[in-house]
Amino acid sequence: MNPQLRKATIKDAIYVSNNLRPADQSEIEGLGHTPFNVVLGVLLCEDTFAFTNYEGELAGIGGVIPDSDGNAGIWTLCTPAIDNMGVTFFRRAKQHIELITKPYSMVYALCDSRNKLHHRFLKFLGFKA
């Protein structure tokens, strides 16, 4: 089965919130949130996406939250199924994220310093620390 990138649903958000990678769980807690915020993220974002791995398992969810200044924050939270993803998928994800963030003046992300996967993904996307 090929990995999929599609519009996220509330069902996806509930699944991810109950199956977060430990590093993603720590990141959420470090921001003063709970896993329930994944569900709120899907409800509040204009553009949300979910992605599956080669086995069809839900590997993560993300979205773009616009602010009042014409900028947007991007977020992604993952399950352990992300470990089975390949580079091809991440290239496709990069194209998708570039498309949905095009209308914004600046795109930013908050990331826990201990979450190495998110650091690598943000660097791959072209973000600068």
Side-chain angles (χ1 to χ4, degrees), residues 48-127:
T48 59
F49 52 90
F51 47 96
T52 60
N53 65 14
Y54 288 100
E55 289 78 37
E57 301 168 302
L58 186 58
I61 194 168
V64 178
I65 302 175
D67 65 21
S68 60
D69 296 327
N71 304 315
I74 189 167
W75 61 273
T76 305
L77 294 167
C78 302
T79 69
I82 192 74
D83 295 333
N84 298 333
M85 302 299 287
V87 174
T88 302
F89 171 78
F90 288 106
R91 287 189 190 120
R92 186 169 163 228
K94 181 178 181 178
Q95 292 170 341
H96 178 74
I97 291 168
E98 287 172 349
L99 179 67
I100 64 176
T101 59
K102 197 171 193 168
Y104 304 105
S105 301
M106 180 180 70
V107 179
Y108 56 89
L110 298 175
C111 184
D112 188 306
S113 62
R114 300 167 291 182
N115 197 334
K116 302 303 180 196
L117 176 68
H118 282 184
H119 281 259
R120 286 194 313 268
F121 186 54
L122 289 169
K123 186 175 181 178
F124 178 77
L125 293 174
F127 282 77

Side-chain angles (χ1 to χ4, degrees), residues 5-48:
L5 182 64
R6 58 175 168 70
K7 177 84 174 141
T9 66
I10 297 298
K11 185 178 176 181
D12 295 330
I14 292 169
Y15 179 84
V16 170
S17 70
N18 288 320
N19 295 282
L20 287 167
R21 291 175 52 247
D24 290 48
Q25 176 82 30
S26 295
E27 189 169 274
I28 288 174
E29 291 169 354
L31 292 169
H33 301 296
T34 68
F36 180 72
N37 285 88
V38 179
V39 177
L40 292 176
V42 170
L43 292 171
L44 295 174
C45 289
E46 291 182 11
D47 293 299
T48 59

